[in-house]
Amino acid sequence: MSKINNAIYEIHAIDALASKDRWVNRIHPLVKLIITVVYILAVVSFPKYDVIGLAGMVIYPIAVFMLSELSFWDSLRRLRVVLPFVCLIGILNPLLDKNTVLIAGTEISAGVLSMITLIIKGIFSVLASYLLIATTSIEKLCYALRLLHIPKVMITQFLLTYRYITVLLEEVNRITQAYSLRAPGQKGVQFKVWGSLTGQLLLRSMDRANNVYENMLLRGYQGDFMHMRERIAFRWHDMIYFLFWASMILLFRMYPVMWIIGNLIGGMLA
């Protein structure tokens, strides 16, 4: 499978995951959106040396992975392009911050500690965003954004950008396949035809995108998604889900829960 076909397959696979009829998928999209934002804000607000406190925030992605029955390794495979960049964010910290921090009677390099903290923050934030996308369809996300009174223009731009990525990739795939059939045995596309192929790609993708948008208008699309209100009602377990995770996230952020658990276990073993 070519890289373009693989990219198209992955987009459709994520859409299929978001459309499954599982308990987490049925949670109101506004609740999941707010919880994800609260979680990311809580994660990035940890001090740069508080690795142990930050480690406690892993409870949310682990729980959602289990509830949604998503494959952790498949998720890492899909995020394999993003995660290395996230891990590179704090790679220079050991060189810039040469101080030392005393933890449990042991001196540890502050630069290394802050680098680990930045990496964990980035990984947790990416995983939380992925879990939101993998358990909530793009239409439900747009509906949740509309409930927050985000302007229709911005929501339409967000939705069409997501939808047109697949259209663009499909057109790129068709053009590259047609070129390879006309130039057998040639590796890649010659530089001299890049301009003409790019122009064809632009015109073909714009034509298909316009057809998609016209079909959306014929089906009653107005940019507000209020027609989904009858199908996505706010229920009592949505409130329980929101209160539970909001309280857990605030608990792990405001109190050193991991330190407390570690001291309790250490006292029991002693």
Side-chain angles (χ1 to χ4, degrees):
M1 183 181 294
S2 66
K3 293 182 178 180
I4 299 175
N5 284 330
N6 186 60
I8 296 172
Y9 171 79
E10 291 295 342
I11 293 175
H12 290 318
I14 293 177
D15 288 339
L17 288 175
S19 301
K20 287 187 176 181
D21 188 21
R22 290 174 176 163
W23 186 80
V24 175
N25 295 52
R26 293 193 297 269
I27 296 294
H28 199 283
L30 181 60
V31 171
K32 288 187 285 186
L33 177 62
I34 294 176
I35 289 298
T36 302
V37 173
V38 171
Y39 176 79
I40 293 176
L41 291 176
V43 164
V44 300
S45 67
F46 272 87
K48 61 180 180 179
Y49 301 138
D50 192 5
V51 176
I52 297 179
L54 182 60
M57 302 299 287
V58 75
I59 185 174
Y60 176 72
I62 289 178
V64 177
F65 267 114
M66 294 175 64
L67 291 173
S68 59
E69 300 178 13
L70 292 172
S71 173
F72 179 73
W73 300 112
D74 286 345
S75 303
L76 288 183
R77 180 179 58 80
R78 292 191 176 100
L79 299 173
R80 65 186 181 278
V81 178
V82 179
L83 291 179
F85 288 100
V86 172
C87 295
L88 289 173
I89 293 176
I91 197 170
L92 295 179
N93 280 32
L95 301 176
L96 300 176
D97 190 352
K98 297 183 179 181
N99 297 322
T100 58
V101 178
L102 189 65
I103 298 179
T106 305
E107 285 190 354
I108 300 176
S109 170
V112 173
L113 204 61
S114 62
M115 179 188 69
I116 295 174
T117 303
L118 280 175
I119 292 174
I120 295 175
K121 287 180 178 181
I123 292 175
F124 284 178
S125 300
V126 171
L127 285 178
S129 303
Y130 170 79
L131 289 171
L132 175 64
I133 296 173
T135 58
T136 314
S137 65
I138 188 66
E139 289 80 10
K140 290 182 179 179
L141 278 177
C142 291
Y143 173 61
L145 292 173
R146 190 63 190 130
L147 291 177
L148 296 174
H149 300 287
I150 304 298
K152 293 181 182 180
V153 175
M154 295 181 62
I155 294 176
T156 301
Q157 186 70 28
F158 172 66
L159 173 64
L160 297 186
T161 300
Y162 181 84
R163 290 302 183 202
Y164 290 170
I165 288 175
T166 307
V167 174
L168 180 63
L169 290 175
E170 289 175 350
E171 289 300 329
V172 171
N173 190 40
R174 288 191 180 94
I175 290 176
T176 53
Q177 285 182 348
Y179 181 86
S180 62
L181 291 174
R182 288 169 174 80
Q186 180 177 307
K187 293 184 178 180
V189 179
Q190 289 185 349
F191 178 75
K192 63 181 180 181
V193 298
W194 282 12
S196 61
L197 290 183
T198 303
Q200 292 182 26
L201 172 63
L202 176 62
L203 294 175
R204 289 166 63 92
S205 59
M206 287 178 62
D207 185 57
R208 286 198 60 192
N210 187 59
N211 291 336
V212 171
Y213 183 62
E214 288 178 352
N215 291 331
M216 291 170 59
L217 294 178
L218 290 174
R219 289 173 172 81
Y221 176 76
Q222 297 178 350
D224 53 11
F225 294 90
M226 290 301 113
H227 65 281
M228 302 182 69
R229 181 172 297 175
E230 297 179 357
R231 296 191 293 111
I232 308 176
F234 196 84
R235 294 160 294 185
W236 62 269
H237 66 262
D238 297 322
M239 180 58 69
I240 294 176
Y241 185 90
F242 174 78
L243 293 176
F244 174 78
W245 281 117
S247 59
M248 289 295 292
I249 292 171
L250 293 177
L251 175 67
F252 275 83
R253 176 61 189 90
M254 297 178 64
Y255 299 98
V257 178
M258 299 302 293
W259 283 106
I260 297 174
I261 294 175
N263 291 332
L264 289 176
I265 295 175
M268 294 173 61
L269 294 177

